[in-house]
């Protein structure tokens, strides 16, 4: 019987070590996963609700995501009569743009000048956000945009860079 208990104890110790190793790998992986701000806020609120009154804040219990959201550039090739026709659709276009900006998807956007042949809209988070925007945009729906494409932009410098890289000096 003691041999059996020794074997069970040995197996339990091995499982404990593997569980600890696996847990640390999962935690590292979770730190790299992009979590939407709404989910972060919900997790923090849930953790705060479980804290006893007067206890220390639980901000460290929920970690902020590791890498920042990726950037995607929506590139419009505008029609030759874009400047002449945009006035009738501009308010609807701007309302859509500000809605996307308020939702945290659109960082900034605007048309290039001299010649006005392209417009650029910078999105963060997902390619799908940029594609949804283009599908709903009155400029696209009414032919002011000849064509568009979405390209991932690997941002490495600046305050909002998705993957900041510093020189190794």
């Amino acid at each position: 019987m003691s041999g059996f208990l020794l074997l069970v104890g040995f197996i339990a110790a091995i499982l404990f070590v593997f569980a600890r190793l696996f847990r640390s790998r999962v935690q590292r992986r979770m730190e790299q996963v992009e979590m939407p701000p709404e989910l972060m806020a919900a997790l923090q609120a849930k953790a705060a609700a479980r804290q006893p009154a007067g206890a220390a804040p639980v901000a460290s219990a929920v970690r902020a995501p590791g890498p920042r959201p990726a950037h995607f550039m929506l590139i419009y090739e505008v029609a030759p009569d874009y400047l002449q026709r945009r006035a009738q659709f501009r308010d609807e276009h701007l309302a859509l743009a500000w809605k996307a900006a308020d939702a945290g998807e659109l960082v900034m956007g605007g048309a290039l000048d001299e010649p006005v042949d392209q417009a650029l809209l910078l999105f963060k988070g997902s390619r799908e956000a940029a594609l949804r925007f283009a599908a709903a945009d009155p400029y696209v729906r009414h032919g002011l945009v000849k064509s568009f494409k979405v390209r991932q932009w690997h941002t490495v410098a600046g305050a909002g860079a998705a993957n900041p890289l510093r020189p190794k000096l």
Side-chain angles (χ1 to χ4, degrees):
M1 182 70 166
S2 65
F4 176 72
L5 291 177
L6 186 62
L7 179 63
V8 168
F10 180 71
I11 291 173
I14 289 174
L15 290 174
F16 177 78
V17 169
F18 279 115
R20 297 290 291 180
L21 288 173
F22 182 72
R23 181 176 176 215
S24 66
R25 292 178 95 187
V26 168
Q27 284 177 332
R28 280 194 306 265
R29 190 74 184 260
M30 288 301 294
E31 289 170 1
Q32 297 172 351
V33 172
E34 174 189 327
M35 293 178 69
E38 299 84 13
L39 178 58
M40 289 295 298
L43 289 173
Q44 288 173 340
K46 186 176 180 181
R50 283 186 284 179
Q51 279 297 101
V58 293
S60 61
V62 179
R63 294 188 179 140
R68 296 178 186 167
H71 288 113
F72 295 88
M73 188 67 74
L74 174 58
I75 305 165
Y76 282 169
E77 297 292 331
V78 298
D81 60 349
Y82 166 78
L83 287 177
Q84 293 78 23
R85 295 183 52 218
R86 77 174 172 180
Q88 64 185 5
F89 305 109
R90 195 165 201 193
D91 283 342
E92 187 182 350
H93 168 79
L94 290 173
L96 181 67
W98 281 105
K99 181 179 176 184
D102 292 342
E105 294 177 332
L106 178 64
V107 177
M108 66 180 68
L112 297 178
D113 196 14
E114 301 301 322
V116 179
D117 59 349
Q118 287 186 321
L120 305 173
L121 297 103
L122 176 61
F123 287 82
K124 70 177 176 181
S126 72
R127 175 181 312 276
E128 289 73 25
L131 291 171
R132 275 194 317 273
F133 181 90
D137 191 350
Y139 288 178
V140 174
R141 291 192 336 255
H142 295 285
L144 279 72
V145 174
K146 295 188 300 187
S147 66
F148 67 86
K149 59 185 171 186
V150 177
R151 302 277 314 269
Q152 185 167 0
W153 186 18
H154 297 284
T155 53
V156 297
N163 298 296
L165 293 176
R166 297 276 179 179
K168 297 174 187 174
L169 300 174

